[in-house]
């Protein structure tokens, strides 16, 4: 009986993931890693948490492997930010697509101490409505001291005045399950 319940739960999880992949089929793949992104300006070991819809840290982007958690190295280059993941495709965020960087307490199943995750907000193509699609990529540094240095290195790449007027570095708490930010 217990085995049957476990099989049903796993089957429902697989069905949910498949439906998420279908629903997100219009999400373009992240840009290819350039042959030479330039010298490494800063690098930190840690864990790639996931990429989610910007501002909705419970809506994991499943397509193109962006929702898969794993060990990674985050490196900042003159051309952008590179997340080199173990066992998965690298995720490259071009400098011109960077929107903001912030510290947060968690996202999509990874909740840690206050300001324990580095969250990079960036543009990933456009949605079906023609509007710019923004995503958040979470990264947890292996050593706590490295997170502020990583934030500073990424923030240095972001234009002084982003097109929408948002700041380069912000701090916020993760949304509640209903998708609203806690105050």
């Amino acid at each position: 009986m217990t085995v049957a319940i476990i099989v049903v739960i796993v089957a429902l999880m697989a069905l949910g993931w498949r439906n998420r992949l279908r629903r997100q089929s219009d999400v373009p793949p992240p840009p290819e890693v350039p042959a030479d992104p330039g010298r490494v300006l800063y690098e930190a070991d840690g864990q790639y948490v996931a990429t989610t819809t910007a501002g909705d840290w419970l809506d994991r982007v499943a397509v193109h492997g962006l929702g898969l958690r794993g060990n990674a190295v985050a490196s900042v280059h003159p051309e952008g930010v590179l997340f080199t993941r173990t066992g998965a495709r690298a995720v490259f965020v071009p400098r011109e697509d960077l929107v903001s960087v912030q510290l947060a307490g968690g996202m999509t199943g990874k909740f840690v101490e206050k300001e324990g995750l580095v969250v990079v907000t960036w543009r990933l193509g456009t949605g079906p409505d023609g509007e710019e699609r923004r995503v958040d990529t979470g990264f947890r540094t292996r050593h706590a001291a490295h997170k502020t240095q990583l934030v500073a290195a990424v923030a240095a790449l972001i234009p002084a005045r982003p097109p929408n007027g948002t700041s380069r570095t912000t701090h916020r708490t993760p949304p509640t399950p209903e998708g609203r930010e806690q105050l």
Side-chain angles (χ1 to χ4, degrees), residues 33-128:
V33 179
D36 181 19
R39 65 185 173 87
V40 175
L41 303 173
Y42 187 77
E43 185 174 85
D45 271 348
Q47 182 181 51
Y48 174 92
V49 175
T51 295
T52 65
T53 301
D56 186 356
W57 294 346
L58 297 176
D59 186 24
R60 185 186 304 249
V61 177
V63 294
H64 314 298
L66 292 172
L68 302 176
R69 180 178 299 155
N71 292 331
V73 173
S75 54
V76 179
H77 302 264
E79 297 300 315
V81 180
L82 177 62
F83 298 97
T84 307
R85 302 182 297 167
T86 303
R89 180 178 178 228
V91 176
F92 180 71
V93 181
R95 179 182 196 151
E96 60 272 9
D97 290 339
L98 290 168
V99 174
S100 68
V101 62
Q102 63 192 322
L103 293 173
M107 67 187 307
T108 190
K110 181 72 171 180
F111 293 91
V112 297
E113 76 279 359
K114 183 179 179 181
E115 299 186 346
L117 289 180
V118 175
V119 178
V120 177
T121 302
W122 54 289
R123 291 181 278 282
L124 181 60
T126 56

